[in-house]
């Protein structure tokens, strides 16, 4: 289904998240509406997968979640959502039966990289397709790709959970047991209504004062921006050892914080080393789904908030003090978590450094995803998310600008990390060097959190 079919659609206002994406609109060829602004995740599936049942389960998910069949219409000076009727999901089936068992993990990585290098058009519905690679009758890899304008990382876990349950229900001939969810158009209306609530001004005042004089974290580029430069995003992947993460987790518990706060603290140290600044504002993402009682936790859609976390390290003498300061920053920021456009409205100068020709913003996230399937049996299939990916990639899923760091805790206790970066701006060696420096800083800091910080 393409944009020419939209005459039968239901009209709804854009959410503030969709409005934020439109700020960076570069047309359908690149930017957030471009064909590589997508999310790709894979799951190893054990058991006999019936292809037609899987197609039906994917179609059920499109019926359940209207964001997957919604267009963001930008024309004639106006913008809105158009929600279309359900339509079939493309499922490509690959025969991988010639793969030796010891080679299967490598083939999984190659397939994920291949799908990430592919495209999915923002103007074509549904915003979901899948690839099923069959090694044998009991071993397969299921890869799901969605357009990022319609989904976020939280959504991807909801999609596979719902696919698995719909698949099991179809096999058993019973209704799927899924929690109630709300349509994305209600999320947009909830956002607009919440902006008028009594607490909105208090949130605005917090960000106005907290970000006064703040500048977003940027890193000098290897090359200046150029309209002629390519738009591709490359990916550098890395691993942080379990011993370091165990110490980081223990430090987090000791200060009544979270692992994210410790990892972010080390990122503050990295920026201090790079810039010499002690007043540091690092952007991250939050799920942006409101309180649990608002009912959007089981809804697929683009909901993330871009949260600038500002911390001053000037008075910190040890890494423990940095973590304690970061903890305060995070708790205050979370308590005033509001849509990005409302934050930017209170801090119009925040992004100024990101507009410079030789600098670009870097974002850091350690995202708490729900419903991670790790050997979970649903019906007659077992699902395990593919998270241990360590191969670099020349062309992957796009980021709008600069670089995005993503760190995820693996069941082994290690951190699996990636940096997606604009390769027109940065060389691989620059990214790999900063990742190595971050790993060194984190390892040394958590090994001796009360040692004096080195002063440059």
């Amino acid at each position: 289904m393409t944009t020419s079919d939209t005459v039968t659609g239901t009209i709804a206002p854009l959410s503030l998240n969709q409005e934020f994406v439109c700020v960076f609109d570069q047309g359908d060829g690149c930017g957030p509406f471009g064909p590589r602004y997508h999310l790709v995740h894979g799951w190893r599936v054990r058991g006999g997968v019936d292809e037609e049942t899987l197609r039906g389960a994917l179609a059920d998910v499109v019926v359940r979640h209207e964001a997957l069949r919604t267009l963001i219409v930008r024309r004639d000076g106006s913008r809105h959502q158009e929600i279309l009727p359900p339509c079939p999901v493309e499922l490509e089936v690959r025969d991988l039966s010639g793969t030796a068992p010891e080679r299967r993990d490598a083939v999984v990585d190659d397939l994920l990289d291949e799908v990430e290098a592919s495209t999915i058009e923002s103007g074509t519905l549904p915003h979901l397709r899948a690839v099923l690679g069959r090694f044998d009758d009991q071993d397969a890899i299921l890869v799901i790709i969605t357009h990022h304008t319609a989904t976020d990382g939280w959504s991807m876990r909801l999609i596979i959970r719902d696919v698995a349950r719909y698949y099991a229900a179809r096999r058993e001939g019973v209704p799927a047991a899924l929690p109630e969810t709300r349509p994305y158009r209600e999320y947009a209306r909830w956002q607009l209504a919440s902006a008028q609530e009594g607490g909105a001004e208090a949130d605005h005042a917090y960000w106005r004062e907290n970000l006064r004089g703040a500048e977003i974290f940027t890193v000098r580029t290897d090359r200046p921006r150029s309209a002629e430069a390519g738009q591709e995003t490359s990916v550098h992947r890395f691993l942080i050892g379990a011993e370091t993460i165990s110490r980081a987790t223990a430090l987090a518990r000791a200060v009544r914080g979270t692992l994210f706060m410790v990892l972010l603290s080390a990122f503050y140290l990295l920026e201090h080393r790079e810039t010499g600044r002690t007043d540091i504002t690092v952007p991250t993402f939050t799920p942006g789904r409101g309180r649990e009682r608002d009912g959007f936790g089981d809804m697929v859609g683009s909901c993330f908030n871009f949260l600038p976390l500002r911390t001053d390290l000037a008075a910190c003498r040890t890494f423990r003090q940095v973590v304690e300061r970061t903890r305060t920053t995070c708790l205050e920021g979370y308590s005033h978590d509001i849509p990005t456009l409302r934050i930017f409205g209170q801090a119009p100068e925040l992004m100024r450094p990101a507009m410079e020709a030789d600098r670009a913003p870097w974002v850091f996230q350690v995202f708490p995803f729900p419903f991670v399937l790790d050997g979970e049996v649903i019906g007659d299939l077992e699902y395990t998310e593919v998270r241990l990916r360590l191969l670099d990639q020349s062309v992957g899923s796009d980021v709008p600008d600069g670089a995005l760091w993503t760190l995820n805790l693996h069941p082994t206790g290690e951190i699996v990390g990636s940096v997606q970066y604009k390769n027109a701006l940065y060389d691989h060696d620059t990214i790999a060097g900063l990742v190595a420096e971050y790993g060194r800083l984190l390892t040394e800091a958590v090994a001796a959190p009360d040692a004096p910080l080195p002063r440059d």
Side-chain angles (χ1 to χ4, degrees):
M1 182 176 295
T2 65
T3 51
S4 62
D5 302 310
T6 62
V7 291
T8 61
T10 299
I11 306 301
L14 294 187
S15 71
L16 293 178
N17 302 76
Q18 292 170 323
E19 292 281 9
F20 174 63
V21 168
C22 288
V23 170
F24 304 95
D25 188 357
Q26 301 175 45
D28 290 352
C30 56
F33 291 95
R36 286 200 178 94
Y37 189 63
H38 50 43
L39 296 173
V40 176
H41 292 270
W43 292 266
R44 202 69 174 265
V45 183
R46 308 286 183 177
V49 180
D50 181 79
E51 294 169 16
E52 290 310 308
T53 304
L54 179 57
R55 284 191 175 88
L58 289 164
D60 290 338
V61 170
V62 173
V63 173
R64 172 174 165 84
H65 297 292
E66 69 175 31
L68 297 173
R69 46 189 169 86
T70 296
L71 295 171
I72 300 177
V73 179
R74 308 106 63 210
R75 62 171 176 248
D76 301 329
S78 65
R79 298 191 290 259
H80 58 267
Q81 297 184 64
E82 256 185 287
I83 301 99
L84 279 294
C87 47
V89 177
E90 176 188 344
L91 173 64
E92 178 187 354
V93 180
R94 300 276 189 98
D95 181 3
L96 306 176
S97 59
T99 308
E102 66 272 14
R103 283 277 305 150
R104 290 181 181 182
D105 288 347
V107 169
V108 165
D109 283 347
D110 290 342
L111 179 59
L112 283 164
D113 286 355
E114 178 189 336
V115 176
E116 280 195 10
S118 70
T119 61
I120 182 169
E121 301 293 333
S122 64
T124 301
L125 297 180
H127 298 300
L128 167 69
R129 62 182 176 85
V131 178
L132 178 69
R134 287 185 173 278
F135 293 111
D136 57 40
D137 289 342
Q138 297 296 312
D139 186 7
I141 171 67
L142 175 63
V143 183
I144 288 177
I145 177 172
T146 66
H147 203 276
H148 202 355
T149 54
T151 61
D152 52 19
W154 188 288
S155 299
M156 296 299 283
R157 274 69 185 190
L158 293 174
I159 288 171
I160 189 61
R161 181 202 67 181
D162 291 0
V163 166
R165 293 188 182 180
Y166 276 125
Y167 180 95
R170 281 176 169 266
R171 294 282 285 178
E172 296 168 10
V174 298
L178 285 166
E180 291 187 11
T181 187
R182 299 174 67 180
Y184 188 78
R185 74 187 89 172
E186 288 188 11
Y187 176 77
R189 296 188 179 109
W190 167 80
Q191 275 194 324
L192 296 173
S194 66
Q196 309 302 320
E197 292 179 355
E201 182 49 42
D203 291 331
H204 293 171
Y206 169 80
W207 292 112
R208 191 163 52 246
E209 294 303 315
N210 179 267
L211 297 177
R212 193 182 303 279
E215 294 185 345
I216 206 74
F217 174 39
T218 59
V219 172
R220 190 171 298 281
T221 60
D222 293 314
R223 287 168 294 281
R225 298 177 187 276
S226 168
E228 291 76 32
Q231 295 291 327
E232 290 84 10
T233 294
S234 297
V235 188
H236 173 62
R237 297 188 171 96
F238 58 96
L239 200 65
I240 301 176
E243 182 178 354
T244 294
I245 301 309
S246 176
R247 288 173 172 171
T249 302
L251 177 58
R253 286 197 299 265
V255 300
R256 295 178 297 114
T258 65
L259 179 60
F260 168 74
M261 295 171 186
V262 176
L263 298 175
L264 177 59
S265 296
F267 200 71
Y268 282 132
L269 292 186
L270 179 67
E271 179 177 355
H272 174 63
R273 293 289 178 88
E274 286 299 302
T275 65
R277 298 172 64 103
T278 57
D279 181 0
I280 302 170
T281 303
V282 170
T284 191
F285 291 115
T286 65
R289 291 169 181 269
R291 301 167 293 256
E292 184 176 349
R293 63 181 172 83
D294 292 315
F296 297 112
D298 287 291
M299 177 199 70
V300 166
S302 177
C303 302
F304 63 86
N305 287 339
F306 181 88
L307 206 67
L309 298 175
R310 183 183 192 181
T311 297
D312 192 344
L313 309 184
C316 296
R317 297 292 177 262
T318 67
F319 185 65
R320 186 185 301 273
Q321 290 176 352
V322 174
V323 176
E324 290 170 343
R325 183 67 58 88
T326 301
R327 176 182 181 276
T328 299
T329 295
C330 291
L331 293 178
E332 289 179 355
Y334 299 156
S335 68
H336 296 281
D337 186 9
I338 58 176
T340 307
L341 285 179
R342 291 168 59 192
I343 294 177
F344 283 0
Q346 307 306 313
E349 297 300 313
L350 177 68
M351 299 299 293
R352 184 192 58 78
M355 302 299 107
E356 296 178 11
D358 61 347
R359 304 197 71 85
W362 285 33
V363 181
F364 182 86
Q365 64 174 356
V366 184
F367 220 71
F369 294 123
F371 317 119
V372 175
L373 300 183
D374 185 25
E376 184 170 350
V377 177
I378 302 175
D380 56 0
L381 299 179
E382 177 186 289
Y383 300 81
T384 299
E385 184 170 358
V386 180
R387 288 188 278 167
L388 189 60
R389 300 178 61 196
L390 296 177
L391 297 179
D392 289 349
Q393 193 170 344
S394 58
V395 179
S397 299
D398 274 353
V399 293
D401 194 13
L404 170 63
W405 290 55
T406 302
L407 276 61
N408 285 312
L409 184 63
H410 193 266
T412 60
E414 300 164 300
I415 283 286
V416 181
S418 68
V419 181
Q420 298 163 257
Y421 62 96
K422 287 295 187 185
N423 57 32
L425 301 178
Y426 294 106
D427 294 326
H428 173 268
D429 289 349
T430 299
I431 301 298
L434 286 169
V435 166
E437 177 68 2
Y438 173 79
R440 184 187 68 80
L441 286 171
L442 175 65
T443 298
E444 292 178 356
V446 298
D450 296 307
L453 290 174
R455 293 292 165 183
D456 298 332

